Amino acid sequence: MPAPVSVVVASRNGAGRLAGLLPRLLAQVVALPGAQVVVCDNGSGDGTARMAEQAFAARPEVPAQVVAEPAPGKARALNAALARCSGEILAFLDDDVIPSPGWLSSVVSAFSNKNLDGLGGRVLPYWDGPPPWWFTPAVAGFTPVHDRGDRELAYSLPGPLPVGAAMAIRREAVERLGPFDPELGHRDGVTFGAEESEWFFRAMTSGFRFAYRPEAWVLHPMEAFRPKAAMRRRAFAQGRGAARMAAAIVRKGLPLRRFFRGPAGGREAGKTAFFYELRFLLAMGMGWEMVQANRQPASRLV
């Protein structure tokens, strides 16, 4: 019998997004004995918890619950959900993704490899129409897209890490390493990111092993990234998140030299002028955050 799995979804003002995700997810969970779903409502004001409870009521055979975490911050929301998880495998989805029909079974199957401590799934872009002409594989590195091809690959440092949109880890790894750093992560509408990246970085420097598993794929809606202005804001915010992650690495005594490769820092195609503009904005965001950190106590930045 496969190891029980807990699926975690953190959501802030995501009632509409959960209405699309949860029916798809619950249809997969019901087929796996011992599987559960935990949704964390991160201080929403749009009926997120009510929407999740309605979806759960339609599938009463599935162990599921809603956890409340009023303090803003995705890392805090994830940690609150983890405290309610019972599975040996902890799988994570963003509240806006469209999981493939076999996503959860692929995640569970991957952990039959006893040497695997976690995985990153394939995250493919989903556009309502044709993608913008400037959306190249290199530019995609600034979005939740995580597409490393059709073959399984081992993650290594420095290099790309699993993304929070679709990933999974063994419960044992969390128990040994500790939860996500609450000083990192998206907060108050700013896509700082880095909470999952910092955890995987911490785990890999401790000897844990992770793999990219393309069969565990999801679609990520991309219309929010269509305006170039949105991409510019995101790149700057990612730079701020990278600076926060670097500070956390130093604070924890981890090897900073293995840290930063950067979005699309390898051989991805399409390193256009817009890509380099985003790289510049990311660097500006890192610099801005470092200046702010020197001006005020760390408690003011969280």
Short mmCIF file of all heavy atoms in Angstrom, two decimals, residues 116 118 120 147-156 210-214:
data_model
loop_
_atom_site.label_atom_id
_atom_site.label_comp_id
_atom_site.label_asym_id
_atom_site.label_seq_id
_atom_site.Cartn_x
_atom_site.Cartn_y
_atom_site.Cartn_z
N LEU A 116 14.77 9.05 -2.47
CA LEU A 116 14.24 10.36 -2.85
C LEU A 116 13.59 11.02 -1.64
O LEU A 116 12.70 10.45 -1.01
CB LEU A 116 13.21 10.20 -3.97
CG LEU A 116 12.66 11.50 -4.57
CD1 LEU A 116 13.75 12.22 -5.35
CD2 LEU A 116 11.46 11.19 -5.47
N GLY A 118 12.33 14.24 -1.87
CA GLY A 118 11.32 15.18 -2.33
C GLY A 118 11.42 15.37 -3.83
O GLY A 118 12.35 14.88 -4.47
N GLY A 120 10.20 18.06 -7.36
CA GLY A 120 9.57 19.21 -7.97
C GLY A 120 8.82 18.76 -9.20
O GLY A 120 9.35 17.98 -10.01
N ASP A 147 9.85 24.13 -16.14
CA ASP A 147 9.84 23.12 -17.19
C ASP A 147 11.27 22.77 -17.57
O ASP A 147 11.93 23.50 -18.31
CB ASP A 147 9.07 23.65 -18.41
CG ASP A 147 8.95 22.61 -19.52
OD1 ASP A 147 9.38 21.46 -19.30
OD2 ASP A 147 8.43 22.96 -20.59
N ARG A 148 11.74 21.64 -17.09
CA ARG A 148 13.10 21.19 -17.36
C ARG A 148 13.12 20.01 -18.34
O ARG A 148 14.10 19.28 -18.40
CB ARG A 148 13.81 20.83 -16.05
CG ARG A 148 13.83 21.97 -15.03
CD ARG A 148 14.71 21.67 -13.85
NE ARG A 148 16.11 21.59 -14.25
CZ ARG A 148 17.08 21.09 -13.47
NH1 ARG A 148 16.77 20.64 -12.26
NH2 ARG A 148 18.31 21.05 -13.90
N GLY A 149 12.02 19.86 -19.07
CA GLY A 149 11.98 18.83 -20.08
C GLY A 149 11.23 17.59 -19.65
O GLY A 149 10.54 17.56 -18.63
N ASP A 150 11.38 16.53 -20.45
CA ASP A 150 10.58 15.32 -20.30
C ASP A 150 11.24 14.24 -19.46
O ASP A 150 10.65 13.17 -19.25
CB ASP A 150 10.27 14.73 -21.68
CG ASP A 150 9.44 15.68 -22.54
OD1 ASP A 150 8.63 16.43 -21.96
OD2 ASP A 150 9.63 15.66 -23.77
N ARG A 151 12.47 14.46 -19.02
CA ARG A 151 13.19 13.42 -18.28
C ARG A 151 13.40 13.81 -16.83
O ARG A 151 13.55 14.99 -16.50
CB ARG A 151 14.54 13.15 -18.93
CG ARG A 151 14.46 12.61 -20.36
CD ARG A 151 15.85 12.34 -20.92
NE ARG A 151 15.81 11.82 -22.28
CZ ARG A 151 16.86 11.50 -22.99
NH1 ARG A 151 18.09 11.65 -22.45
NH2 ARG A 151 16.74 11.03 -24.22
N GLU A 152 13.45 12.79 -15.99
CA GLU A 152 13.76 13.02 -14.58
C GLU A 152 15.19 13.54 -14.44
O GLU A 152 16.11 13.07 -15.11
CB GLU A 152 13.60 11.73 -13.78
CG GLU A 152 13.95 11.89 -12.30
CD GLU A 152 13.82 10.59 -11.53
OE1 GLU A 152 13.28 9.61 -12.09
OE2 GLU A 152 14.26 10.56 -10.36
N LEU A 153 15.35 14.53 -13.58
CA LEU A 153 16.66 15.13 -13.32
C LEU A 153 16.86 15.31 -11.82
O LEU A 153 15.91 15.61 -11.09
CB LEU A 153 16.78 16.49 -14.01
CG LEU A 153 16.70 16.54 -15.54
CD1 LEU A 153 16.58 17.98 -16.01
CD2 LEU A 153 17.92 15.86 -16.15
N ALA A 154 18.09 15.15 -11.38
CA ALA A 154 18.41 15.43 -9.99
C ALA A 154 18.70 16.93 -9.84
O ALA A 154 19.36 17.53 -10.69
CB ALA A 154 19.61 14.61 -9.54
N TYR A 155 18.20 17.53 -8.78
CA TYR A 155 18.53 18.92 -8.49
C TYR A 155 19.92 18.99 -7.86
O TYR A 155 20.34 18.08 -7.13
CB TYR A 155 17.51 19.51 -7.51
CG TYR A 155 16.14 19.73 -8.11
CD1 TYR A 155 15.10 18.84 -7.84
CD2 TYR A 155 15.88 20.82 -8.92
CE1 TYR A 155 13.84 19.04 -8.37
CE2 TYR A 155 14.61 21.02 -9.46
CZ TYR A 155 13.60 20.12 -9.19
OH TYR A 155 12.35 20.33 -9.71
N SER A 156 20.62 20.07 -8.15
CA SER A 156 21.94 20.28 -7.57
C SER A 156 22.15 21.77 -7.34
O SER A 156 21.44 22.60 -7.91
CB SER A 156 23.04 19.72 -8.49
OG SER A 156 23.02 20.37 -9.75
N PHE A 210 16.72 15.47 -4.02
CA PHE A 210 15.47 15.83 -4.66
C PHE A 210 15.59 15.67 -6.17
O PHE A 210 16.68 15.80 -6.74
CB PHE A 210 15.10 17.28 -4.32
CG PHE A 210 15.04 17.53 -2.84
CD1 PHE A 210 16.13 18.10 -2.17
CD2 PHE A 210 13.93 17.18 -2.11
CE1 PHE A 210 16.09 18.32 -0.81
CE2 PHE A 210 13.88 17.39 -0.74
CZ PHE A 210 14.95 17.96 -0.09
N ALA A 211 14.46 15.41 -6.81
CA ALA A 211 14.46 15.18 -8.26
C ALA A 211 13.30 15.92 -8.91
O ALA A 211 12.23 16.10 -8.31
CB ALA A 211 14.37 13.69 -8.58
N TYR A 212 13.53 16.34 -10.13
CA TYR A 212 12.49 16.88 -11.00
C TYR A 212 11.77 15.72 -11.64
O TYR A 212 12.38 14.85 -12.26
CB TYR A 212 13.14 17.77 -12.06
CG TYR A 212 12.27 18.13 -13.24
CD1 TYR A 212 11.28 19.10 -13.12
CD2 TYR A 212 12.48 17.52 -14.48
CE1 TYR A 212 10.49 19.44 -14.22
CE2 TYR A 212 11.71 17.87 -15.58
CZ TYR A 212 10.72 18.82 -15.44
OH TYR A 212 9.95 19.16 -16.53
N ARG A 213 10.43 15.67 -11.45
CA ARG A 213 9.63 14.58 -11.99
C ARG A 213 8.59 15.15 -12.95
O ARG A 213 7.55 15.67 -12.54
CB ARG A 213 8.95 13.81 -10.86
CG ARG A 213 9.91 13.13 -9.89
CD ARG A 213 10.68 12.00 -10.54
NE ARG A 213 9.82 10.92 -10.97
CZ ARG A 213 9.88 9.68 -10.48
NH1 ARG A 213 10.80 9.36 -9.58
NH2 ARG A 213 9.06 8.74 -10.91
N PRO A 214 8.84 15.09 -14.25
CA PRO A 214 7.96 15.75 -15.23
C PRO A 214 6.56 15.14 -15.30
O PRO A 214 5.61 15.81 -15.73
CB PRO A 214 8.71 15.59 -16.54
CG PRO A 214 9.59 14.41 -16.34
CD PRO A 214 10.00 14.45 -14.91
#
